Amino acid sequence: MPCEKKPMRYGHSEGHTEVCFDDSGKFIVTCGNDGDVRIWEGLDDDDPRFITVGEKAHSLALKNGKLVTASSNNTVQIHTFPEGEPDGILTRFTTNATHVTFSRSGSRVAAASSDFLVKVVALSDSSDQKTLRGHEAPVLSVSFDPRDQLLASSSCDGSVVVWNIEDQVTRWTLLKKSSDVSNAKSLCRLAFQPPSGKLLAVPVEEKVHLYERDTWSHVTTLSDDLSTQVMNVVCWSPCGKLLAAASVGGVITVWDVGSKLCVERQKHEKGFTVCALAFSPCGSQIAYTDTEGCLGLLEGVSSGAAPDRSKLYSASCSTPVSLRPVYDGPMPTPPQRAFQPGSTPAHLTHRFMMWNSVGIVRAYNDDQDNAVDIEFHDSAVHHAMHLSNTLGHNVADISQEAVLLGCPGTDELASKLQCLHFSSWDNHKDWLVDLPHGEDVRALCLGVGWAAVATSAPLLRLFTSGGLQREVFSLSGRVVCLSAHGDQLCVVYHRGTGFDGEQCLGVQLLSLGHRRRQILDQPLPLSPRSHLSWMGFSAEGTPCSVDSEGVVRMLNRSLGNTWTPVCNTRDTCKSKSDHYWVIGVHENPPQIRCIPCKGSRFPPTLPRPAVAVLPFKIPLCQTSTEKGQMEEQYWRSVLLHNHHSFLSVNGYALDQDALSHSLKEQQELLMKMFALSCKLEREFRCVELAEMMPQNLVTLAIKYASRSRRMALAERLSKIALEKAQEDQEEEHEEEHEEEHSGFLLVLWCALGAKSLGITGLEHCTDNPLYSCYSIFIHSVSSGASPAQPRVANVLDNIPHRKSAPLTSSSKTKKSPVLKPLAPRAKSKTGFQLWLEEHRKSILAENPDLEETDVIKEAMGRFRSLTAEERLVRGHYEQKEVKTYVCPLTPQVSHCAHC
């Protein structure tokens, strides 16, 4: 069965990168062009420790707790491992050192350089060194004999030399000559076979030559017909039975040397050059790096035991040697783990559990403290809090109402959900819920008045802010993350299995307000071979996502709920090892709030990171031209204008100034593009732009075309202006028609309410033409006719359903009251409700055994038995009630004489 290829991790900036394992196999150590040595506790380590050794690090070797590096300052340095403390300079060259390696005992180090020299230095005494001369060009690589008797080296002069530490033993001319290491077609990283050193493996062109010790005769050649590019590096397994080789085309091939059969073949996920290989001490893993600074890992490499020949290829790897087929198609991608947007990896001792627009939640888990610190950006919301993390919470969210924490379960204890509801007005400010045994918290979020948690079941559980359990439903796949804004809940989950480095994710958007519904459920787009790194909402409530390639996408509600890329954070990074950690998105003003991370994907907790702001930029073509810039500005304005329609429909705050500014900006850009098209004599393009303009702007375009003496264009634009004017008239007529029907519905509603409370005389109001409809309806009700009779039923059935028109650049802006964001709308109380509040105690005193529903029935009966005069005498209920039943026929006064 093929070994498992893990997704590659970004480790260093672009350029040559090397890798090795420590003696225990616990750490993977890499170095690269950024001058850093990174120490990884496995491939999943999101925050590896690093040691800066110079401007660039060309090579490294590790043995017996000593780390040796060849850096760009022409030195070979020693550091302690894993502490990373400097331990002196081993040797110097006149130019860059190119490669270093340890002897098997670890007592000596061989170093090659671009000044044509090879030095062998004793680790205990750096003055004890020998210089080997003989190469006529920069030296590419060196390798010790496992017996510590011989040393092999390769050079840009095309030669491979075997030394006995004193003199040359043999010399071959095998490679193509080059002037420098950077120009060499191959690094020719040769290697002696462990543990005996019987064979020397040398990568030559597209093959690997094996030479026998002592006789130095060429005994065999290993090749791969599917790898047609030059072999770059070779590496032996610790047992010496397997040989791995990697080409400049990114193909890694593993042979069983005894049978000369190919046991593994893997291709780099992006086809980059593999420049280093390293077997783990146990021989089951191969770590490799590429020229882009990335680290990869192959797990489950075949052991040195006799291979199953039914699964192997011949030494040339051209055809299977048996009839059993071998799968060589796309490989499945390991699914992305669940994470909390706005958090750093859970394995860090000091980490951010959440950073959003409300505040920051930090976790500390070291020898001194195991606690959670909660800080609010606005101290008026709540003061900072310090909590002891005895339960081991690892996920959190923070809002202006509460802080939500979750911890995994153990064999003895259940997974728990804890909420600090600091906005509660009673004395109980927190609640705790145990999940069913075997069900763990995977992700959570806070909305307005509710909380959601996704579990390993996989279920999604809803709670109120006070701790009441709400709906529970099954997810369509394993959860990746949750996020919330107001009444909106966004769920990202695995739709299926991805292949060749791709993730197969889906996004589900739900509305949990009064009208609970699913808004969308569709695939979530990501960049090729990337994963999701952040998911959330803009401050205005638009869903946004960020992937590991730095692409920020925003949901375009006006284009069928598609996702539009609005920024690529990688475009502003100075180095490939730098990243931006997104913490929020704003549409007004348009900005992406993020934290710059130099040489890492995540920021440290201390000192507090500074927040940067990135602009929006839609990736249109030719944005360096004047036309492309205006097109990008226009469509960016249109996209960011969409949230006004969403806010108006859902009763959120509308910034009329921002709305007017957005429409004005779009119209100015349309006119500028129109003028540019006229200047370039692109009249067809002018007509296309006119189709996008409102009617008043088309009139301005007609004047511009006339002054430019483009009469044919002006005539076509006149037709467009006429069509748009007719459309506006039809829309106005339709609005008036809908308003008339809405008024009629209001009359019917008021009539029913007045009749139920015994209010009469409204049919005599004649200040409004709707009085006749009202009189007819009152007469039908008074005479015993049912509202369900055919006449009335037909009227109600024929009333069209009013649809809210989306805001566009051509729609007319109307003044509307500014609403508080996400605030519930005020509801007026009826006269009966006011009467019930005052008389509830007396009813309960007379009938203490009544239930709430019976109390309301009793109160309703008493209230209906009162006459209009008694209500006026008994108090102010009728005066307050008139605010609910204002006469729709005389709205200019609080109530008419007949009311």
Side-chain angles (χ1 to χ4, degrees):
M1 183 176 180
C3 60
E4 180 183 0
K5 181 174 68 174
K6 297 289 186 180
M8 299 197 72
R9 298 294 307 273
Y10 190 90
H12 301 273
S13 59
E14 180 182 1
H16 178 75
T17 312
E18 291 220 357
V19 63
C20 69
F21 283 89
D22 75 320
D23 296 332
S24 66
K26 178 181 178 181
F27 298 104
I28 303 174
V29 186
T30 61
C31 71
N33 242 20
D34 52 10
D36 291 341
V37 173
R38 297 190 182 274
I39 304 172
W40 308 71
E41 295 186 25
L43 193 65
D44 296 330
D45 189 351
D46 292 317
D47 189 22
R49 290 177 291 160
F50 68 92
I51 308 167
T52 301
V53 298
E55 185 178 348
K56 294 182 179 180
H58 299 299
S59 181
L60 84 167
L62 177 60
K63 202 169 190 67
N64 299 337
K66 296 293 183 180
L67 175 66
V68 175
T69 57
S71 58
S72 56
N73 58 2
N74 307 341
T75 63
V76 176
Q77 306 176 51
I78 307 175
H79 289 78
T80 61
F81 185 88
E83 297 82 7
E85 298 294 332
D87 198 17
I89 295 177
L90 191 63
T91 188
R92 297 178 185 271
F93 292 94
T94 58
T95 59
N96 293 336
T98 57
H99 192 215
V100 292
T101 185
F102 269 104
S103 63
R104 185 176 184 183
S105 63
S107 61
R108 292 186 290 183
V109 173
S113 78
S114 294
D115 60 5
F116 310 174
L117 300 179
V118 176
K119 291 185 179 181
V120 180
V121 188
L123 195 65
S124 58
D125 183 6
S126 60
S127 62
D128 180 10
Q129 58 180 277
K130 296 179 181 179
T131 302
L132 306 180
R133 308 174 188 272
H135 287 296
E136 299 173 355
V139 183
L140 293 169
S141 68
V142 288
S143 176
F144 265 111
D145 162 33
R147 303 179 190 176
D148 288 353
Q149 298 174 354
L150 304 174
L151 181 75
S153 63
S154 61
S155 171
C156 290
D157 61 9
S159 65
V160 174
V161 178
V162 179
W163 317 76
N164 64 359
I165 311 301
E166 296 289 345
D167 302 311
Q168 291 187 19
V169 175
T170 187
R171 183 187 185 100
W172 303 283
T173 301
L174 302 173
L175 312 176
K176 290 186 178 181
K177 296 182 179 181
S178 59
S179 59
D180 193 17
V181 176
S182 59
N183 299 326
K185 291 188 176 181
S186 168
L187 293 176
C188 192
R189 290 292 161 86
L190 39 73
F192 278 98
Q193 180 188 29
S196 62
K198 181 181 179 180
L199 298 174
L200 173 64
V202 183
V204 181
E205 298 296 331
E206 299 87 7
K207 304 174 182 179
V208 178
H209 291 187
L210 297 183
Y211 295 88
E212 188 178 24
R213 185 190 180 95
D214 297 332
T215 64
W216 305 116
S217 59
H218 179 201
V219 293
T220 190
T221 298
L222 302 178
S223 63
D224 184 353
D225 288 347
L226 297 183
S227 179
T228 58
Q229 294 181 298
V230 175
M231 290 292 181
N232 204 33
V233 294
V234 297
C235 179
W236 291 90
S237 65
C239 63
K241 296 180 180 180
L242 300 179
L243 177 67
S247 71
V248 296
V251 177
I252 301 175
T253 309
V254 182
W255 291 275
D256 181 276
V257 178
S259 60
K260 303 178 184 179
L261 298 174
C262 174
V263 295
E264 298 285 357
R265 183 197 295 113
Q266 295 287 347
K267 184 173 177 60
H268 188 287
E269 59 186 34
K270 296 185 178 179
F272 294 149
T273 297
V274 176
C275 51
L277 290 173
F279 266 96
S280 64
C282 64
S284 63
Q285 296 178 322
I286 297 178
Y288 61 97
T289 54
D290 61 24
T291 53
E292 295 296 313
C294 294
L295 168 67
L297 189 67
L298 303 180
E299 286 193 344
V301 181
S302 302
S303 65
D308 184 355
R309 294 177 178 268
S310 64
K311 299 181 180 178
L312 301 182
Y313 294 89
S314 64
S316 63
C317 290
S318 57
T319 57
V321 297
S322 77
L323 297 178
R324 291 186 60 182
V326 175
Y327 177 73
D328 195 27
M331 298 301 297
T333 303
Q336 179 179 354
R337 295 180 180 179
F339 73 100
Q340 198 73 4
S343 68
T344 52
H347 71 272
L348 301 178
T349 55
H350 293 187
R351 60 181 288 254
F352 292 109
M353 296 179 72
M354 175 55 62
W355 187 324
N356 61 17
S357 60
V358 177
I360 303 173
V361 182
R362 295 184 181 90
Y364 303 94
N365 186 10
D366 50 30
D367 297 335
Q368 299 177 352
D369 197 7
N370 183 9
V372 174
D373 282 348
I374 303 170
E375 173 188 345
F376 294 86
H377 300 315
D378 184 1
S379 58
V381 176
H382 198 272
H383 59 79
M385 293 183 281
H386 179 82
L387 309 174
S388 178
N389 193 11
T390 55
L391 294 177
H393 294 302
N394 60 354
V395 289
D397 196 11
I398 182 172
S399 72
Q400 294 188 348
E401 296 180 349
V403 175
L404 191 64
L405 302 165
C407 66
T410 63
D411 293 339
E412 297 81 14
L413 300 176
S415 178
K416 299 181 185 297
L417 186 70
Q418 183 178 8
C419 182
L420 308 178
H421 189 207
F422 53 80
S423 64
S424 174
W425 48 264
D426 64 9
N427 295 327
H428 298 281
K429 302 293 186 181
D430 63 339
W431 50 270
L432 185 69
V433 170
D434 287 354
L435 297 184
H437 185 71
E439 188 175 342
D440 283 346
V441 174
R442 288 287 185 262
L444 51 80
C445 65
L446 283 167
V448 174
W450 54 270
V453 56
T455 69
S456 57
L459 296 175
L460 193 138
R461 299 179 178 274
L462 296 176
F463 298 84
T464 65
S465 296
L468 290 175
Q469 298 189 62
R470 286 180 49 179
E471 298 89 343
V472 179
F473 61 89
S474 295
L475 297 174
S476 301
R478 286 185 293 174
V479 70
V480 177
C481 66
L482 298 179
S483 57
H485 181 278
D487 293 333
Q488 299 181 89
L489 170 63
C490 181
V491 183
V492 179
Y493 61 93
H494 287 283
R495 290 174 61 92
T497 302
F499 288 87
D500 286 346
E502 306 282 352
Q503 295 289 333
C504 183
L505 303 183
V507 58
Q508 188 177 16
L509 185 61
L510 304 172
S511 175
L512 301 180
H514 295 295
R515 291 194 307 155
R516 299 177 187 176
R517 59 194 177 94
Q518 178 175 285
I519 300 174
L520 62 86
D521 188 355
Q522 63 185 32
L524 179 66
L526 297 173
S527 299
R529 303 182 185 280
S530 69
H531 59 271
L532 185 67
S533 59
W534 187 86
M535 187 77 198
F537 292 84
S538 68
E540 292 75 16
T542 304
C544 302
S545 70
V546 184
D547 61 33
S548 57
E549 293 298 316
V551 179
V552 183
R553 294 177 177 85
M554 179 177 289
L555 184 69
N556 191 344
R557 301 180 192 269
S558 64
L559 194 61
N561 288 330
T562 54
W563 294 84
T564 301
V566 295
C567 179
N568 190 338
T569 62
R570 301 289 298 158
D571 292 342
T572 56
C573 292
K574 297 180 180 179
S575 170
K576 287 196 173 182
S577 60
D578 297 343
H579 296 84
Y580 282 97
W581 192 60
V582 176
I583 58 175
V585 178
H586 291 255
E587 297 178 71
N588 183 29
Q591 56 182 223
I592 298 168
R593 300 176 61 83
C594 49
I595 296 174
C597 303
K598 183 174 177 57
S600 176
R601 288 186 177 271
F602 306 102
T605 56
L606 293 175
R608 179 168 177 166
V611 178
V613 174
L614 297 181
F616 280 48
K617 185 177 180 181
I618 297 178
L620 297 187
C621 301
Q622 297 180 329
T623 52
S624 59
T625 65
E626 183 181 7
K627 169 179 172 290
Q629 291 174 2
M630 288 190 291
E631 289 171 338
E632 190 277 332
Q633 292 173 18
Y634 174 77
W635 288 112
R636 186 199 330 147
S637 178
V638 170
L639 176 65
L640 299 179
H641 175 76
N642 290 337
H643 77 273
H644 291 291
S645 176
F646 170 76
L647 292 176
S648 64
V649 170
N650 291 273
Y652 296 162
L654 278 178
D655 189 340
Q656 295 295 334
D657 293 337
L659 178 61
S660 301
H661 175 75
S662 178
L663 293 174
K664 181 180 178 182
E665 180 186 29
Q666 293 172 28
Q667 293 179 5
E668 289 177 353
L669 288 168
L670 285 172
M671 280 306 303
K672 287 180 180 179
M673 288 190 285
F674 181 86
L676 179 62
S677 299
C678 284
K679 182 179 178 180
L680 299 176
E681 299 183 353
R682 294 278 189 173
E683 295 190 0
F684 190 89
R685 187 179 294 169
C686 291
V687 174
E688 291 176 327
L689 287 167
E691 295 285 354
M692 301 163 62
M693 298 177 181
Q695 192 269 336
N696 62 330
L697 201 61
V698 177
T699 304
L700 185 61
I702 294 172
K703 294 180 180 179
Y704 186 91
S706 300
R707 291 177 181 177
S708 303
R709 300 181 183 277
R710 301 183 184 277
M711 306 312 296
L713 175 60
E715 183 179 354
R716 289 183 178 273
L717 296 179
S718 299
K719 295 179 180 179
I720 295 176
L722 181 61
E723 293 175 358
K724 288 184 176 290
Q726 293 175 349
E727 291 175 0
D728 291 344
Q729 291 179 357
E730 292 176 358
E731 290 178 0
E732 291 178 1
H733 178 71
E734 184 179 351
E735 289 178 0
E736 292 176 358
H737 185 65
E738 291 177 352
E739 288 177 359
E740 291 178 1
H741 283 284
S742 299
F744 180 67
L745 280 179
L746 179 61
V747 170
L748 301 186
W749 177 79
C750 291
L752 287 173
K755 185 68 177 179
S756 64
L757 296 177
I759 300 175
T760 60
L762 290 178
E763 65 272 14
H764 303 294
C765 299
T766 58
D767 293 340
N768 192 291
L770 292 175
Y771 79 94
S772 58
C773 297
Y774 179 85
S775 301
I776 294 173
F777 182 79
I778 288 295
H779 177 72
S780 64
V781 173
S782 301
S783 61
S786 171
Q789 286 182 350
R791 176 188 175 99
V792 179
N794 290 338
V795 172
L796 295 176
D797 293 340
N798 292 331
I799 295 177
H801 175 66
R802 178 168 182 169
K803 298 181 179 179
S804 56
L807 293 172
T808 63
S809 58
S810 61
S811 61
K812 298 182 179 179
T813 59
K814 299 181 180 179
K815 293 184 178 180
S816 60
V818 177
L819 303 179
K820 294 290 185 181
L822 308 177
R825 296 169 179 169
K827 298 180 180 178
S828 59
K829 295 184 177 180
T830 65
F832 168 71
Q833 290 174 327
L834 295 170
W835 186 89
L836 176 61
E837 288 180 358
E838 187 167 335
H839 292 79
R840 179 187 295 274
K841 292 183 179 180
S842 61
I843 295 175
L844 289 175
E846 298 174 7
N847 304 279
D849 298 329
L850 291 180
E851 298 291 340
E852 179 62 21
T853 55
D854 297 325
V855 171
I856 295 175
K857 290 179 181 179
E858 177 67 20
M860 183 66 75
R862 295 187 184 186
F863 187 80
R864 287 180 176 175
S865 65
L866 298 177
T867 64
E869 291 78 10
E870 287 177 330
R871 294 175 189 173
L872 291 174
V873 171
R874 284 178 177 264
H876 54 279
Y877 310 114
E878 207 63 45
Q879 302 240 347
K880 293 185 178 180
E881 189 177 9
V882 79
K883 294 181 179 179
T884 304
Y885 293 103
V886 174
C887 179
L889 308 180
T890 57
Q892 66 275 13
V893 295
S894 60
H895 61 281
C896 66
H898 298 284
C899 294

